[in-house]
Every structure is written in structure tokens, then in C-alpha cells.
């Protein structure tokens, strides 16, 4: 089941599940010590696919900005990465952005190895590859008219 909520509507168990999995992927799996929980969560729209109430299958947050929206913390847990949840997640987030922020482009700070994945949804690179926490990243943008959600 997909859940789409602003921060203040998340239940304590949903929030725990999100933080637990984000830490598992972005801090532990990627061996990247950083402040994973941040104030951006407070203004984000959170997208999560849950199974049985205690397992997270996919997650992302959408952050509204004055002239664009940013997608971030996109994840599918390691054991679920061959089930198509990443594609499903991107479809849902981009459809939401198109419906609620129709004139705004969507920005992503993507890990460089996922550039083709993001491109398949209409994102294009707007930076060279650079290191963020010792992980190659690339900035990408999806203009509202280019999103591949139809």
C-alpha cells in the first residue's frame, strides 16, 4: 500500500520505519556517516510503500521550493531492489508533482550510477559528476512537460 503524507500526518510507527530504513541504506549500507535526519523532513511530502505495517518497500520525499520541487532520499531496501518498486515510486512521485506543482520542475541530486534510471523518467543532467560524501552524484532536472508519467 502506498502512503503519501506531509510530515505532521505521519504516524510514529511510519516515521520510525522511514528513519530506520533511511539509516540502514544511506548511513550503514553506503558507509556514509552524516546527519541523516534533518529539518527538511518537516516540510516534505513523504512517499512510502509498506508491507504488513512493519516493512518498508520503497520511500522518497518531495520538498517544495519556491521555484522547483526536489526529490530526495529515494530508496528501495537492498532485498527489494529487483521487484520494480523504484520505478513504481518514481511514477507516483512524479504524478503527484505534476498534479500539485504543475508548473515547477523536479530536481534530483542522483547518485551517478542511477543517471539512466532517472533519465527514463524524463530527467536530464544539469551538472558534471561530483563527489558528495565520497559518492559520485549528478544534479538532474525534469521539466514539467518532459516527465514520463503518462
Amino acid at each position: 500500500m502506498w502512503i503519501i503524507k506531509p510530515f505532521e500526518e505521519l504516524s510514529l510507527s511510519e516515521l520510525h520505519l522511514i528513519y530506520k530504513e533511511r539509516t540502514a541504506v544511506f548511513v550503514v549500507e553506503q558507509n556514509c556517516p552524516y546527519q541523516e535526519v534533518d529539518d527538511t523532513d518537516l516540510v516534505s511530502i513523504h512517499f512510502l510503500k509498506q508491507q504488513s505495517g512493519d516493512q518498508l518497500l520503497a520511500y522518497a520525499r518531495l520538498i517544495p521550493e519556491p521555484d522547483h520541487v526536489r526529490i530526495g532520499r529515494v530508496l528501495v531496501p537492498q532485498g527489494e531492489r529487483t521487484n520494480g518498486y523504484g520505478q513504481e515510486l518514481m511514477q507516483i512521485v512524479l504524478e503527484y508533482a505534476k498534479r500539485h506543482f504543475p508548473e515547477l520542475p523536479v530536481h534530483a541530486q542522483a547518485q551517478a550510477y542511477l543517471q539512466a534510471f532517472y533519465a527514463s523518467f524524463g530527467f536530464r543532467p544539469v551538472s558534471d559528476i561530483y563527489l558528495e560524501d565520497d559518492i559520485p552524484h549528478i544534479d538532474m532536472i525534469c521539466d514539467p512537460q518532459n516527465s514520463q508519467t503518462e
Side-chain angles (χ1 to χ4, degrees):
M1 167 175 66
W2 282 100
I3 297 168
I4 303 170
K5 294 181 179 179
F7 180 83
E8 62 274 5
E9 292 180 16
L10 291 170
S11 72
L12 291 177
S13 58
E14 289 166 343
L15 188 59
H16 175 263
L17 197 57
I18 290 167
Y19 287 160
K20 179 179 161 187
E21 201 59 51
R22 282 184 7 194
T23 301
V25 170
F26 297 121
V27 178
V28 177
E29 179 185 330
Q30 296 181 353
N31 193 27
C32 187
Y34 74 104
Q35 183 62 48
E36 206 297 312
V37 177
D38 60 23
D39 291 341
T40 303
D41 283 324
L42 300 172
V43 297
S44 296
I45 309 300
H46 300 267
F47 297 76
L48 55 149
K49 184 173 185 117
Q50 249 183 296
Q51 179 179 343
S52 308
D54 64 347
Q55 184 181 1
L56 189 68
L57 301 175
Y59 170 83
R61 66 183 183 180
L62 193 65
I63 306 115
E65 303 280 355
D67 60 349
H68 65 276
V69 290
R70 284 187 293 131
I71 187 170
R73 301 293 202 269
V74 177
L75 73 84
V76 173
Q78 200 168 33
E80 302 294 338
R81 292 187 185 149
T82 59
N83 297 322
Y85 298 134
Q87 290 85 357
E88 196 178 331
L89 173 64
M90 290 302 294
Q91 285 286 123
I92 287 171
V93 172
L94 290 172
E95 286 170 6
Y96 182 96
K98 186 181 265 188
R99 189 169 52 254
H100 295 276
F101 307 98
E103 302 301 317
L104 298 181
V106 180
H107 288 235
Q109 184 185 27
Q111 291 188 13
Y113 82 96
L114 291 170
Q115 183 174 348
F117 172 78
Y118 281 91
S120 73
F121 293 97
F123 283 85
R124 61 182 167 78
V126 292
S127 77
D128 292 328
I129 294 175
Y130 58 91
L131 289 180
E132 175 85 17
D133 297 316
D134 290 327
I135 298 171
H137 280 77
I138 188 165
D139 293 335
M140 300 185 79
I141 189 169
C142 182
D143 297 311
Q145 65 276 15
N146 291 340
S147 126
Q148 304 295 315
T149 60
E150 313 301 308

